[in-house]
Amino acid sequence: MRRNILKGFAGKALAKTIENRFKKVDYKLLTEPFFLRSEDDRAWRGEFWGKVIRPAITCAFLTGAPGLRALIDDSVADMMKTQTSDGSISTYPDDQKLTAWDIWGRKYAVLGLIRYYELLNPDPAVLGCCCRAVDYLISLIGPGKMDILECGNHNGLPASSILGAVVSLWKLTGNSKYREFAQYIIERGCSGLGNIYECCDLGIAPAVLGNGKAYEMTSCFQGLAELAMLEENPDWCRIVAKYGKAVLEHEIFITGTGGAKDKMGEFWFDSALRQTRGDCGSLGETCVTVTWMRYCLRLLQLTDDMTFADAIERALYNALLGAWGPDGSHWVHANPTPLTGGGYKKYADDQILRAVGKAFGGNDCCRAQGPEGLVVAAEFAVLEAGNCVTVNLFEALDSGALHITGNYPFEPQAKISFDDPEDKVLRLRTPAFLRSVKFNGISVEFTPGVYLELSHKGGAADTVELEFDFTLKEIPSPDGKFTAVMRGPLVLAEDSRGKVADSGVSVQWRGRELCEYATAGNLICEENTLTVWFRNEQ
């Protein structure tokens, strides 16, 4: 991974998250359930450590934030101490192992340890801990043993989502038993209601795959995409891309996320078509947003289809940053509902207290997961493969010999400076609202939606000047009854306060004062409402 340091809208959010979230987390509380093995209420305390530690690790890798690395080192050491002699890492008592959310929690523990090993500390003991944890599961699950589809909730989706962690271990160790276990999970199809991979390939819509649980299902497709990154398999590439395109068509709101049906916004529900309604549950769980962004990044790397890059930017600057609390310490669980007016942002509460009546430090899945979306953005901003350096985000950043200045996405100009000592191909994302490109002062033709390739000679000091078209664009709703407004990558909204003092955009449209959706409603209270979809005049 390149060390991309974001310095603009997303970068400032990430910096506040490091100071006001990662440095203040009670990491001892998050590992305690693994020591006690007392989670006998079918809850999911086991997911929080892995969800919190992963983006903290990435931030330590990217920024070297003072004090953060020591917190992570201590917490990883604690987690490794929870492993029992049989290899198990779990929060569940032995008589309830592999039920409810047990494998889900084990997955996140392993994913956290793997990221620590890959980015901060390639200690063989850390990798060995991960291997023993998955070996324990392999000893219990598989042909002639327990069926993974019968391990826990949602017909096997959460348990099967461990596929990605298994693939990572195969990548890191080359041990065939992990490849074989991955193949077993794929062949079981991740859901007792039907093989989601085969059904997707047949054209079945996301809401009808499995039970439609968006976050867990996308995690299962993520695992297959991770394997497709390592093995050339046209069938897998086709299937994961079809799923991505289907989600874009059927599920993603104007704000770049999806999810509806229940009170937390956690299911695929043909929600793109229902996003202007108020009777379809809450809209857009933040965990869905983050998982969707990570999935789109893998699809972009697999297919080079800029559609998925545009999807990441849309989600980042709207749904994700719209769920971020202004000081970085809290996140909202679902987007304001309805988006047609009267909806407001509400911080996620103590999820375990709400669900089973036992407080757990104010932790919520989306509060834990939200920062991962910010580090996905940092990873996505500038990608490197072979001799190609690809710029996907245009906010101010530093990335080795590449620097971007400007105030994107609020101002319509950005400047790239690139003085790499080696010959490179500099590739630029060309969104539909990109107006012009100048390379070393000379205008360059480009095709929107196709990466623009520029030749960089080693040692040269190249500059790229970008101009974006930020005129307002009206977007009709799927039902034709409402209109939304976009300005470049930003969805605009009307805040109940009128003009919002700390917004990056303030424009008039049809007599309304609009600002960026990410900032609208940022008092985070019931009185501070916002509107994204405006009813058309009859």
Side-chain angles (χ1 to χ4, degrees), residues 231-434:
E231 286 188 8
E232 186 174 343
N233 187 312
D235 292 337
W236 295 343
C237 288
R238 181 184 69 252
I239 289 168
V240 297
K242 284 184 75 169
Y243 177 72
K245 294 284 190 177
V247 170
L248 275 172
E249 177 183 356
H250 294 281
E251 301 295 343
I252 298 301
F253 313 144
I254 191 170
T255 55
T257 188
K261 189 175 182 179
D262 70 338
K263 64 181 180 180
M264 294 299 176
E266 298 179 352
F267 285 80
W268 296 143
F269 194 47
D270 287 326
S271 46
L273 299 176
R274 303 174 193 259
Q275 63 181 295
T276 57
R277 291 171 54 175
D279 60 350
C280 300
S282 293
L283 300 179
E285 180 193 26
T286 296
C287 282
V288 172
T289 306
V290 173
T291 308
W292 171 240
M293 290 174 66
R294 174 64 70 185
Y295 187 66
C296 284
L297 177 55
R298 285 294 172 263
L299 291 185
L300 176 64
Q301 292 170 312
L302 279 169
T303 67
D304 207 37
D305 185 340
M306 198 183 295
T307 300
F308 299 115
D310 293 342
I312 294 173
E313 181 179 66
R314 176 78 67 96
L316 167 66
Y317 287 130
N318 299 289
L320 186 76
L321 286 170
W324 175 79
D327 71 350
S329 64
H330 284 77
W331 291 73
V332 304
H333 189 110
N335 282 233
T337 306
L339 292 173
T340 52
Y344 63 96
K345 296 176 181 178
K346 177 184 177 182
Y347 283 139
D349 57 8
D350 189 314
Q351 194 177 38
I352 303 301
L353 176 63
R354 172 168 43 82
V356 301
K358 301 175 184 177
F360 192 59
N363 284 289
D364 170 85
C365 62
C366 294
R367 187 185 183 194
Q369 184 89 321
E372 176 72 0
L374 294 175
V375 302
V376 169
E379 180 180 349
F380 160 76
V382 182
L383 298 172
E384 185 168 13
N387 73 328
C388 292
V389 176
T390 300
V391 179
N392 286 305
L393 282 186
F394 303 108
E395 75 167 65
L397 63 80
D398 293 326
S399 178
L402 188 149
H403 308 275
I404 301 180
T405 55
N407 192 27
Y408 182 95
F410 301 117
E411 299 296 334
Q413 298 87 24
K415 183 177 180 180
I416 301 172
S417 302
F418 191 51
D419 59 356
D420 196 288
E422 299 180 2
D423 290 357
K424 298 284 185 179
V425 175
L426 182 63
R427 303 171 79 234
L428 306 180
R429 184 171 68 92
T430 58
F433 50 84
L434 178 61

Side-chain angles (χ1 to χ4, degrees), residues 9 59 81 162 253 287-288 311 335 360 394 481 499 515 529:
F9 192 19
C59 286
K81 291 174 186 175
I162 200 170
F253 313 144
C287 282
V288 172
N335 282 233
F360 192 59
F394 303 108
K481 297 179 181 180
K499 190 175 181 66
C515 69
T529 62

Side-chain angles (χ1 to χ4, degrees), residues 19-144:
E19 292 302 317
N20 296 327
R21 176 63 174 154
F22 292 146
K23 290 187 178 181
K24 297 179 180 179
V25 167
D26 185 349
Y27 293 98
K28 295 291 186 183
L29 175 68
L30 301 185
T31 55
E32 183 180 58
F34 291 89
F35 282 107
L36 298 179
R37 303 284 177 104
S38 59
E39 193 165 20
D40 59 359
D41 48 17
R42 301 180 66 82
W44 50 94
R45 297 171 186 84
E47 74 171 34
F48 293 118
W49 182 83
K51 282 188 174 182
V52 171
I53 207 76
R54 289 193 307 162
I57 289 166
T58 304
C59 286
F61 169 79
L62 291 174
T63 70
L68 182 58
R69 173 64 187 269
L71 292 171
I72 293 168
D73 288 341
D74 288 347
S75 192
V76 167
D78 280 348
M79 178 56 71
M80 292 174 65
K81 291 174 186 175
T82 73
Q83 187 167 48
T84 50
S85 59
D86 58 5
S88 176
I89 295 178
S90 175
T91 60
Y92 276 44
D94 195 57
D95 63 354
Q96 294 187 32
K97 65 186 178 185
L98 309 189
T99 66
W101 295 98
D102 183 25
I103 295 180
W104 179 257
R106 293 172 188 261
K107 175 192 78 171
Y108 273 109
V110 171
L111 288 174
L113 292 170
I114 287 175
R115 187 169 297 183
Y116 179 74
Y117 174 83
E118 290 185 313
L119 294 185
L120 293 184
N121 184 7
D123 182 350
V126 177
L127 183 58
C129 179
C130 296
C131 291
R132 290 190 298 276
V134 173
D135 291 348
Y136 174 81
L137 294 177
I138 292 174
S139 73
L140 299 174
I141 299 169

